[in-house]
Amino acid sequence: MEPVGPAVELVDVGRAGRQARDDAIVTSAFAAHHEELYAFLVRATHDPDVAEELLQDAFCRLTREVRAGRTPELVRPWLYRVAANLATSRGRRLRSALRWFARATATADPIGTFARTDDPEARAISHERTRELIAALDGLAVDARLALLLSAEGFSGLEIAAALGRSHAATRTLLSRSRVRVRTRLEALEASR
């Protein structure tokens, strides 16, 4: 009968090495992308706390994929796609809940903005413009809003298409129509002043 000890130690060292490698992949991805992904999620959800939760969920999903041996080839676009999908799912659930709530009670306007200046006049103008832009974006479907936000982040049409799970042509059409809708709404708000 041969000793079992050394073989078990080799398996443990191999497992520990894989886990260290997996942890390094996730840690480096977090260090490289968490700030920009968080900023994207704040703009997508209009809520820093929700953005933080979605960010954590996206990195938890990355950890699961890496540990399962399915490390994405391009981590950054993969994270944006997961984050966009999480925000879309949350938006759909939220809209459903808001429709139910609207039927049950009177609803209020929950728009919050962040002005970053000490000048009261500039803060008021920024607040007004931000509210107008948020109102124009809120009138869009979740996919259209996320496509515009990804475009504002500098993603290409192909990357946005991959993140939304659409064809490149459909994404270009979505972006074009969404930009026109937002521009039209902003012009209407400007004309009504």
Side-chain angles (χ1 to χ4, degrees):
M1 190 163 159
E2 294 185 30
V4 181
V8 171
E9 289 176 21
L10 288 176
V11 170
D12 289 342
V13 169
R15 190 175 298 147
R18 281 190 304 275
Q19 186 172 359
R21 181 198 66 217
D22 294 348
D23 290 347
I25 290 170
V26 174
T27 302
S28 67
F30 183 81
H33 307 298
H34 82 278
E35 289 178 9
E36 68 177 294
L37 194 59
Y38 173 73
F40 165 72
L41 286 168
V42 167
R43 286 189 301 279
T45 63
H46 310 298
D47 187 335
D49 294 330
V50 171
E52 182 66 36
E53 288 176 25
L54 295 178
L55 178 72
Q56 290 174 12
D57 196 7
F59 278 99
C60 285
R61 289 177 188 221
L62 177 63
T63 302
R64 270 183 285 189
E65 289 298 306
V66 169
R67 287 189 178 161
R70 298 183 302 260
T71 304
E73 287 183 38
L74 301 171
V75 175
R76 182 175 181 256
W78 185 91
L79 283 168
Y80 269 90
R81 179 177 185 162
V82 168
N85 288 344
L86 290 169
T88 300
S89 296
R90 180 190 175 278
R92 288 179 182 145
R93 287 191 307 272
L94 184 60
R95 284 185 187 207
S96 176
L98 287 175
R99 278 194 301 267
W100 177 87
F101 187 71
R103 281 183 257 143
T105 63
T107 59
D109 180 23
I111 295 177
T113 58
F114 302 98
R116 298 176 187 246
T117 181
D118 292 334
D119 180 24
E121 183 178 347
R123 194 172 34 236
I125 291 170
S126 172
H127 180 73
E128 184 176 329
R129 286 185 179 158
T130 302
R131 287 181 72 100
E132 290 172 353
L133 182 59
I134 288 172
L137 287 172
D138 281 345
L140 298 175
V142 175
D143 284 351
R145 183 173 63 221
L146 288 174
L148 286 177
L149 290 173
L150 285 170
S151 178
E153 284 292 318
F155 282 89
S156 71
L158 288 172
E159 291 172 324
I160 296 169
L164 296 178
R166 296 171 152 261
S167 71
H168 184 238
T171 302
R172 284 194 340 244
T173 301
L174 176 70
L175 282 167
S176 178
R177 289 179 181 169
S178 300
R179 287 180 181 123
V180 168
R181 285 185 190 123
V182 168
R183 188 177 310 117
T184 302
R185 287 186 181 140
L186 290 175
E187 287 171 354
L189 287 171
E190 184 72 29
S192 69
R193 282 195 228 167

